[in-house]
Amino acid sequence: MTSRTTSSSHLEALPVELLDMIAGYAQRKDLLELARTSRQTHDVCIRHIYATIVLKNGCQAISCFKTLISNPRCAHCVRKLVVGALDTKVMLEAALRIVQVAMNKLKFLSAIYFAARSKSFELFSSIHFPGLRTCIIPLSIATVQFLQRHPNLAEVVVTPVEGEFRRLFIPAVAIPMAHLESFIGPDVIAEVILPGFRLSHIIIISCSRRLSRYARPISTIIDAVTRGGAKLESVYYLVTRWDTALLPSIAAHAPSVTFVHVQNEYDSRSFVSSEAFISSVDYAIAALQDLKVLQISQRRRGAVQTERLSQELAAEFELVRRWGDRVPALTYCLLPSETTWVRRRGRNVWIPVASDNSEAGRAIRQDWLFAALLDSPSLIQEYGFRDTQEEAAYKAQVRKNVDSLVRIRL
């Protein structure tokens, strides 16, 4: 008992700032123990214990809400709220009034994160959090209402949930967000909140094609995002079909983009082939002089034969070298053969690497590059390899150089 009392007195003698620093490194269970030692440590630890609240299930959430209602001091410590896939039935049976009252106590909440499939999001969408600056919320019928209630948000992430698009109705209303700095989310939301803002970070996921009744042309979406002078830095488009208007639209409205990723995971029998889409990229890429990363991927079905892969690699090699000539900043290209082409040595020297970084994929591409270089003396010189008169030594030297170039981890 004396030892504990002595430890407590030592802690009380420490400055509050130092106590706060110590509490910041402690685990939650240690904070709970430390909070019992004295009133001073209790006040410090409570701020850290309640700084982040994670709601894992409905029963735990209701218990937490009751604590926040009965103890405003704890509620004022909450800075981040993480909401899992709560059982909405439990929440409803406990009365929505408890949720409303508890959430209104969180005067200093600055960040709220919802699980992608959190059905309880609708229960929170009508609540206003005055200090909220960051949110991760699912795309649902309540998304627009939530954003309208929080015009001071600085960072917005909206996560679409696969299979739930066709039931949604996204009203075409403008949502002014004067403090927005970063946005990641679907084009149907980007179109209503982004126009007119110079954001530092934007990633767009295409969902409008799945909402066939409300589908908008890609050029309209890109124009809406950039109309007010927003600098489009990153574009991630998850598409349901290849659309040859995408890259020309980005080039026309956002020529300073540095990252473009187009992923088609759904339509394997598209009226527009991936070859036609890449042709549209070939036509538009010269306008994207700041582009550093270009990723074009699609779902592959089954194992690919080595002969077919070799043909794809040859075609893609010609492409990336042509694109490298047109866009000096371009450094990485992921193309439909599931190959990441990496630019080396600051020149138009491209190395194929398996996108999954597997040893088998690496070996296949390494052998292909070795054969391609042997067939082209001009490429040997471009890649900076020394020529020798003796054929065996020549091949050995090329193989050694190829091995050293391909030793790269993505």
Side-chain angles (χ1 to χ4, degrees):
M1 188 71 167
T2 305
S3 174
R4 181 163 183 172
T5 304
T6 304
S7 299
S8 176
S9 62
H10 286 165
L11 286 171
E12 289 179 343
L14 293 175
V16 175
E17 293 80 4
L18 185 55
L19 273 176
D20 190 67
M21 185 181 299
I22 294 171
Y25 287 99
Q27 300 293 326
R28 183 178 177 84
K29 58 184 179 66
D30 298 323
L31 287 171
L32 292 172
E33 288 290 332
L34 190 59
R36 299 188 183 101
T37 59
S38 70
R39 180 179 295 276
Q40 183 177 0
T41 57
H42 177 272
D43 293 343
V44 171
C45 292
I46 284 297
R47 292 203 298 270
H48 291 274
I49 292 171
Y50 284 91
T52 298
I53 293 180
V54 180
L55 305 179
K56 298 179 180 179
N57 56 66
C59 292
Q60 180 239 357
I62 294 300
S63 175
C64 178
F65 295 155
K66 289 180 178 178
T67 299
L68 296 175
I69 292 172
S70 62
N71 195 333
R73 194 174 182 183
C74 293
H76 289 173
C77 294
V78 180
R79 296 296 183 271
K80 181 190 297 183
L81 181 64
V82 181
V83 184
L86 304 184
D87 185 338
T88 52
K89 183 178 180 181
V90 172
M91 301 290 288
L92 289 170
E93 289 176 351
L96 296 180
R97 180 65 180 165
I98 295 179
V99 180
Q100 183 82 39
V101 174
M103 292 299 98
N104 285 337
K105 299 286 185 180
L106 306 183
K107 302 297 184 183
F108 303 101
L109 182 72
S110 61
I112 188 167
Y113 305 151
F114 285 89
R117 295 184 178 275
S118 177
K119 295 182 179 179
S120 58
F121 174 58
E122 283 74 13
L123 301 178
F124 295 81
S125 62
S126 62
I127 301 169
H128 175 244
F129 301 99
L132 196 65
R133 294 296 177 268
T134 302
C135 73
I136 299 178
I137 58 177
L139 177 61
S140 77
I141 57 175
T143 301
V144 170
Q145 180 185 11
F146 183 87
L147 294 174
Q148 286 176 323
R149 289 181 178 274
H150 300 91
N152 292 327
L153 282 165
E155 300 179 14
V156 172
V157 178
V158 180
T159 55
V161 180
E162 178 59 30
E164 297 185 8
F165 298 105
R166 297 188 183 281
R167 292 175 290 178
L168 296 178
F169 171 73
I170 307 298
V173 294
I175 306 176
M177 307 191 79
H179 303 283
L180 194 63
E181 297 175 0
S182 175
F183 173 82
I184 300 175
D187 48 11
V188 291
I189 299 298
E191 187 179 9
V192 297
I193 73 172
L194 296 187
F197 301 111
R198 296 179 179 273
L199 307 191
S200 59
H201 187 68
I202 308 173
I203 297 179
I204 300 175
I205 303 171
S206 175
C207 297
S208 59
R209 293 295 173 184
R210 300 179 211 183
L211 301 167
S212 56
R213 292 171 57 192
Y214 314 107
R216 304 287 301 277
I218 284 177
S219 57
T220 302
I221 301 293
I222 298 295
D223 176 60
V225 170
T226 59
R227 187 182 307 129
K231 183 180 180 181
L232 198 61
E233 176 184 296
S234 304
V235 178
Y236 173 66
Y237 249 97
L238 184 63
V239 299
T240 56
R241 67 178 183 86
W242 296 116
D243 191 328
T244 56
L246 178 55
L247 259 293
S249 294
I250 293 173
H253 298 288
S256 61
V257 69
T258 60
F259 175 94
V260 174
H261 184 173
V262 183
Q263 182 177 353
N264 189 337
E265 285 284 321
Y266 304 97
D267 192 355
S268 60
R269 296 186 295 272
S270 174
F271 290 110
V272 178
S273 66
S274 59
E275 290 80 5
F277 179 78
I278 289 176
S279 293
S280 71
V281 176
D282 195 36
Y283 168 78
I285 198 168
L288 303 173
Q289 287 296 301
D290 295 325
L291 186 65
K292 296 178 181 178
V293 179
L294 174 62
Q295 299 180 342
I296 301 171
S297 58
Q298 64 181 340
R299 179 178 294 175
R300 304 280 280 195
R301 296 182 178 273
V304 179
Q305 296 180 352
T306 304
E307 182 180 352
R308 179 186 167 193
L309 178 58
S310 296
Q311 294 173 351
E312 291 180 337
L313 289 173
E316 290 181 0
F317 185 55
E318 183 180 343
L319 269 178
V320 294
R321 281 174 54 78
R322 184 162 67 245
W323 294 349
D325 280 334
R326 297 175 181 175
V327 184
L330 192 62
T331 306
Y332 292 90
C333 285
L334 170 64
L335 294 177
S337 71
E338 297 182 3
T339 300
T340 298
W341 294 88
V342 185
R343 194 174 197 163
R344 302 296 300 275
R345 298 179 176 177
R347 303 198 306 270
N348 206 14
V349 171
W350 294 87
I351 309 301
V353 182
S355 59
D356 60 2
N357 227 0
S358 65
E359 290 299 328
R362 181 192 301 272
I364 292 173
R365 288 160 178 82
Q366 187 170 331
D367 290 341
W368 175 86
L369 181 60
F370 174 64
L373 290 174
L374 286 181
D375 288 341
S376 176
S378 62
L379 277 178
I380 290 287
Q381 295 177 2
E382 285 188 49
Y383 274 56
F385 298 166
R386 289 185 301 171
D387 197 356
T388 64
Q389 297 299 319
E390 206 272 322
E391 184 176 357
Y394 172 68
K395 289 185 177 180
Q397 182 63 34
V398 172
R399 168 61 74 178
K400 180 180 179 181
N401 288 327
V402 167
D403 290 350
S404 66
L405 280 174
V406 178
R407 292 185 190 282
I408 180 173
R409 292 280 176 183
L410 298 182

